[in-house]
Amino acid sequence: MADERPIRVLIAKPGLDGHDRGAKVVARALRDAGMEVIYTGIRQTPQMIAEAALQEDAQVVGLSILSGAHLELFPRVVEELKTRGVDDVLLFAGGIIPKADIPAIEAMGFKGVFGPGTDTNAIIAFVRDNAPQRV
Amino acid sequence: MSKSKQEWLETTWGKAVSRFAPRRPRFESSSGAEVDPLYGPEDLAEWNYHEKLGYPGEYPFTRGVQPTMYRGRLWTMRQYAGFADAEESNRRYKFLLAQGQTGLSVAFDLPTQIGYDSDSPEAEGEVGKVGVAISSLEDMETLTNGIPMEKITTSMTINATAPILLALYVAAAKKQGADLAKVGGTIQNDILKEYIARGTYIFPPRPSLRLITDVFAWCKDELPEWNTISISGYHMREAGCTAAQELAFTFADAIEYVDAALNAGLHFDEFGGRLAFFWACHSNFLEEVAKFRASRRIWAKIATERYGSKDPRAQMVRFHTQTGGATLTAQQPLNNIIRTTLQAMSAVLGGTQSLHTNSYDEALALPTEKSVEVALRTQQVIGYESGVADVIDPLAGSYYVEALTDRVEAEAWAYLSRIEDLGGALLGIEQGFQQREIQESAFRLQRMTETKERIVVGVNDYVTEDEVEPDLMRVDTALGKRRQDQLAALRARRDNDAVKRSLAKIRAAASTSENMMPLLVEAVEAYTTVGEICGVLREEWGEYQEVMTI
């Protein structure tokens, strides 16, 4: 089987907020769905997240933020990933993110933005359908 | 002829459910314990009124800590607020006071909470977002401008940097000419739950606990009306734990603080009366009422039996309540007004001393002025119109409420003894115990929502398609730059030699057991900033590393 290798996902908390309930629930749900999940912990700088994505060879990077700093921090994470040549990852985001900000986040390269109340099965399906293949 | 509950369950109830199955195979509390369809005298067979309840204002305080409760005065209506800079937040506080709010509650932005000034690189993007940015005495003076600090009590949600923000508040009060003996308020100052759930820690546990006991000791003499800590279950509950875990994890933290203070040479009854508590109020209406009542009974026992307290004030759980942020839904946000109303009602029936009601738009962004006003009005309607505040502890004697109060208490004691076996709250945290328990409960709740064992209106049932989001609050994006300019001007204007001297004294005291508070007051009076002080202490003490539990 070609797709036997589990998908590698990095779940990260950029910025200073400590609200990690959502990040941990998503990490756990993806892991229970058979993926390899690395959770960074809270208070990660964009550099730390990009470095972890590189070191862990992540195919998918999910960012969770509830402080309202997404429009400032997300572009910096994308920038740091590019600097390290990590350009074939699936990006998605979650947290308290107003709908009006979603187009801007999608324009940065994020394929999905999941707010409060999202069913984790929807996130699992999204990751399975969109994760880039690795050989 | 009298029939027992068991007989009724087997006959009348049994016959009925064999024809019409109940809505769910099993009904349960937040901790997963099964709830019977009916409660009666058999459920309180061993129950003794005087032992379990007593009277308001008397041990074990189950019915309330004040003898008069809300007949004397209603709870303090205290809306947690703060955003952007000190000037904007000061305006919001004056608005809230003009609407009949009776105390202030300050939300600080994350850089302030984690000890970074608004102009530091770590603060980028976060300045003024989740609260007000306060870096120096200049900011604190602006924040409290025109607010009589002798009369209005202020609660500050601040932990790792609590002693510094308290020093700033004291310095501002002194500049206003206030008598410190009359200045009242609360700092959260609860670092252990930051390690467990909230995340705004800076230093490792030992120096953090030392700062906390320094505050206890200093306030006893200098600021007698100040609540030196607000030991908080709120954030652990928001992170996913159950009602009983909320009580147990909080009291385990309380025991850790008390032990640290005793080790520092203080006596329990000297500071016990200045300990405050902070509970969440979630959606299971009667279980939450039971939780509040159980909390008073548990602490009264800990205070007397473990610490030999003789002073009733030191045995009372005086608490603030906030309705459950995690119960708010981004979908159909107006429904949140109803959720918040029910939760606020349980907090009042549970005898809270002060209350924050969440605004309906908080699952989407910081609240607007309009939504905050509705939230405050909710409290006023409960207080003045519903009649529930007219009689003390009106649910006492309900078979179910009393059985539930006993059960929440028993479950909390069981957790307390598990934590005791691990060596106390701090060792539990270092082993990831509380964190894992909270994660498990959060995950269980998520699963129950996804399988629809639990219905959340508007989220997994009664869903509306294509909702239009309400107007949301936005923090001005130019704020970061403005703050940088303000701080640059301050650093140019102040006496920088005095700043250096104050920092040198703090550095020298870091490795001793000298009380830090007088040094912090002196430093902030010289306009030394929060970030500068924390920078020195970071160098001296290092930083806490998160225990990874997933």
Side-chain angles (χ1 to χ4, degrees):
Chain A
M1 299 282 287
D3 54 352
E4 274 297 290
R5 248 183 84 189
I7 302 171
R8 286 180 70 78
V9 184
L10 181 77
I11 298 291
K13 287 276 307 163
L16 304 179
D17 92 272
H19 298 93
D20 58 4
R21 178 177 181 162
K24 285 177 168 177
V25 164
V26 170
R28 166 92 179 263
L30 295 178
R31 188 177 291 167
D32 286 359
M35 301 178 201
E36 285 179 2
V37 181
I38 303 104
Y39 170 58
T40 60
I42 61 170
R43 284 164 61 174
Q44 302 290 302
T45 63
Q47 294 86 334
M48 289 156 89
I49 293 168
E51 199 55 37
L54 176 70
Q55 297 302 328
E56 298 288 352
D57 190 25
Q59 289 150 274
V60 182
V61 175
L63 301 180
S64 164
I65 191 162
L66 287 88
S67 71
H70 44 275
L71 292 181
E72 287 84 356
L73 291 171
F74 286 178
R76 289 173 51 199
V77 175
V78 172
E79 196 53 49
E80 294 291 338
L81 285 169
K82 278 201 190 117
T83 309
R84 286 165 181 76
V86 183
D87 45 15
D88 60 342
V89 288
L90 168 67
L91 290 172
F92 73 101
I96 304 280
I97 295 172
K99 271 186 194 163
D101 294 349
I102 294 179
I105 294 170
E106 285 173 344
M108 294 170 206
F110 287 77
K111 275 230 171 119
V113 178
F114 301 96
T118 303
D119 192 312
T120 55
N121 292 303
I123 301 175
I124 294 166
F126 164 84
V127 171
R128 282 209 178 113
D129 293 346
N130 294 285
Q133 294 292 322
R134 288 284 158 87
V135 215
Chain B
M1 206 199 93
S2 61
K3 197 179 219 176
S4 73
K5 175 172 159 183
Q6 194 53 39
E7 283 171 306
W8 174 81
L9 282 171
E10 282 163 13
T11 57
T12 313
W13 162 267
K15 207 185 294 169
V17 296
S18 69
R19 289 169 55 208
F20 306 102
R23 286 184 287 120
R24 292 205 292 263
R26 186 184 143 94
F27 289 78
E28 49 185 52
S29 70
S30 72
S31 52
E34 185 156 14
V35 174
D36 292 348
L38 181 88
Y39 285 78
E42 290 100 325
D43 295 294
L44 301 180
E46 308 288 307
W47 194 82
N48 176 299
Y49 176 86
H50 294 282
E51 186 193 309
K52 293 279 189 180
L53 303 190
Y55 288 98
E58 293 178 13
Y59 188 89
F61 307 102
T62 314
R63 309 206 61 181
V65 292
Q66 295 113 351
T68 57
M69 285 306 289
Y70 307 136
R71 284 227 169 174
R73 64 170 187 85
L74 294 177
W75 60 92
T76 303
M77 298 179 187
R78 198 188 287 283
Q79 297 296 92
Y80 183 43
F83 58 97
D85 59 8
E87 209 176 317
E88 284 267 3
S89 295
N90 176 266
R91 248 199 303 279
R92 177 70 67 97
Y93 300 151
K94 285 178 175 160
F95 166 79
L96 285 166
L97 292 170
Q99 301 310 310
Q101 172 164 292
T102 47
L104 294 180
S105 174
V106 180
F108 295 99
D109 72 356
L110 287 162
T112 306
Q113 295 188 51
I114 302 172
Y116 298 117
D117 291 334
S118 297
D119 59 352
S120 86
E122 289 85 353
E124 206 186 321
E126 310 266 16
V127 175
K129 283 278 161 59
V130 305
V132 58
I134 300 289
S135 305
S136 77
L137 180 54
E138 184 176 65
D139 300 328
M140 186 59 94
E141 288 171 67
T142 307
L143 190 73
T144 55
N145 179 37
I147 294 166
M149 294 170 83
E150 260 183 31
K151 294 201 180 75
I152 297 286
T153 61
T154 301
S155 170
M156 297 194 279
T157 299
I158 196 75
N159 294 278
T161 53
I164 307 171
L165 270 294
L166 178 62
L168 285 165
Y169 194 81
V170 165
K174 280 161 77 177
K175 286 197 109 178
Q176 257 193 18
D179 175 4
L180 291 188
K182 291 186 191 149
V183 171
T186 307
I187 40 173
Q188 200 160 72
N189 202 23
D190 170 8
I191 200 68
L192 293 174
K193 64 90 175 62
E194 297 295 329
Y195 301 140
I196 298 173
R198 192 169 173 276
T200 69
Y201 44 74
I202 307 176
F203 312 115
R206 294 297 153 207
S208 295
L209 285 169
R210 176 254 181 118
L211 284 176
I212 291 167
T213 55
D214 281 357
V215 169
F216 289 4
W218 186 79
C219 288
K220 176 168 71 69
D221 302 319
E222 304 293 331
L223 207 60
E225 289 299 305
W226 199 266
N227 296 311
T228 52
I229 192 166
S230 171
I231 309 165
S232 306
Y234 185 84
H235 317 87
M236 298 188 275
R237 188 67 185 280
E238 287 291 293
C241 79
T242 67
Q245 288 171 333
E246 180 188 355
L247 295 188
F249 297 167
T250 306
F251 287 132
D253 289 349
I255 288 169
E256 199 74 72
Y257 297 127
V258 170
D259 289 348
L262 298 180
N263 284 335
L266 297 171
H267 297 285
F268 184 79
D269 282 347
E270 277 179 348
F271 63 88
R274 299 314 320 171
L275 306 178
F277 291 84
F278 176 20
W279 305 126
C281 195
H282 277 208
S283 292
N284 190 323
F285 187 82
L286 294 172
E287 187 182 21
E288 293 299 294
V289 175
K291 177 190 78 181
F292 297 125
R293 300 173 82 243
S295 78
R296 288 188 287 268
R297 204 149 71 200
I298 295 171
W299 187 247
K301 277 186 204 162
I302 293 173
T304 51
E305 292 171 15
R306 189 182 180 111
Y307 295 117
S309 169
K310 300 275 183 278
D311 177 2
R313 280 200 58 79
Q315 301 158 15
M316 295 173 185
V317 164
R318 293 170 303 115
F319 64 93
H320 173 68
T321 306
Q322 179 168 340
T323 57
T327 70
L328 301 179
T329 64
Q331 298 76 9
Q332 305 175 20
L334 289 178
N335 297 346
N336 293 326
I337 299 176
I338 318 302
R339 292 189 179 98
T340 299
T341 305
L342 287 166
Q343 293 165 6
M345 186 83 113
S346 355
V348 169
L349 289 168
T352 195
Q353 275 58 63
S354 70
L355 180 62
H356 166 103
T357 33
N358 290 326
S359 301
Y360 60 80
D361 49 1
E362 287 187 77
L364 301 163
L366 283 191
T368 59
E369 200 158 274
K370 184 74 215 149
S371 68
V372 171
E373 190 183 330
V374 173
L376 177 61
R377 296 288 179 250
T378 303
Q379 296 196 39
Q380 291 163 340
V381 169
I382 292 171
Y384 296 106
E385 298 180 18
S386 75
V388 296
D390 297 350
V391 172
I392 302 168
D393 189 26
L395 296 187
S398 147
Y399 297 123
Y400 179 43
V401 170
E402 295 301 352
L404 203 50
T405 303
D406 287 358
R407 184 151 77 193
V408 173
E409 183 186 356
E411 286 172 357
W413 282 118
Y415 265 109
L416 274 164
S417 107
R418 284 176 74 184
I419 294 171
E420 194 88 30
D421 290 343
L422 295 173
L426 182 53
L427 288 173
I429 293 165
E430 287 173 355
Q431 295 162 63
F433 173 74
Q434 292 95 317
Q435 299 94 309
R436 260 191 296 271
E437 288 285 325
I438 291 169
Q439 273 162 232
E440 282 302 319
S441 298
F443 198 69
R444 180 174 160 269
L445 212 58
Q446 177 73 22
R447 277 276 175 268
M448 285 172 74
T449 312
E450 292 176 358
T451 55
K452 289 201 180 190
E453 281 166 81
R454 171 175 172 261
I455 297 298
V456 183
V457 175
V459 173
N460 63 357
D461 211 346
Y462 312 105
V463 175
T464 319
E465 299 299 331
D466 299 325
E467 281 188 65
V468 180
E469 215 166 62
D471 289 337
L472 300 177
M473 231 270 300
R474 288 267 173 189
V475 174
D476 180 8
T477 45
L479 176 69
K481 177 76 180 75
R482 205 159 64 233
R483 290 285 301 153
Q484 286 174 9
D485 296 343
Q486 276 173 9
L487 278 162
L490 174 78
R491 290 189 218 278
R493 193 169 61 234
R494 65 185 183 178
D495 176 353
N496 281 303
D497 288 334
V499 169
K500 271 188 205 133
R501 279 195 303 277
S502 75
L503 288 172
K505 282 190 196 170
I506 287 170
R507 189 185 296 280
S511 54
T512 71
S513 59
E514 184 181 350
N515 195 312
M516 282 285 189
M517 279 307 297
L519 303 178
L520 294 174
V521 174
E522 189 188 321
V524 300
E525 284 181 332
Y527 293 87
T528 308
T529 65
V530 174
E532 288 161 348
I533 295 170
C534 289
V536 164
L537 293 175
R538 278 187 160 97
E539 285 168 18
E540 294 299 313
W541 291 338
E543 295 192 54
Y544 176 78
Q545 297 303 318
E546 180 180 3
V547 178
M548 297 303 268
T549 50
I550 196 156

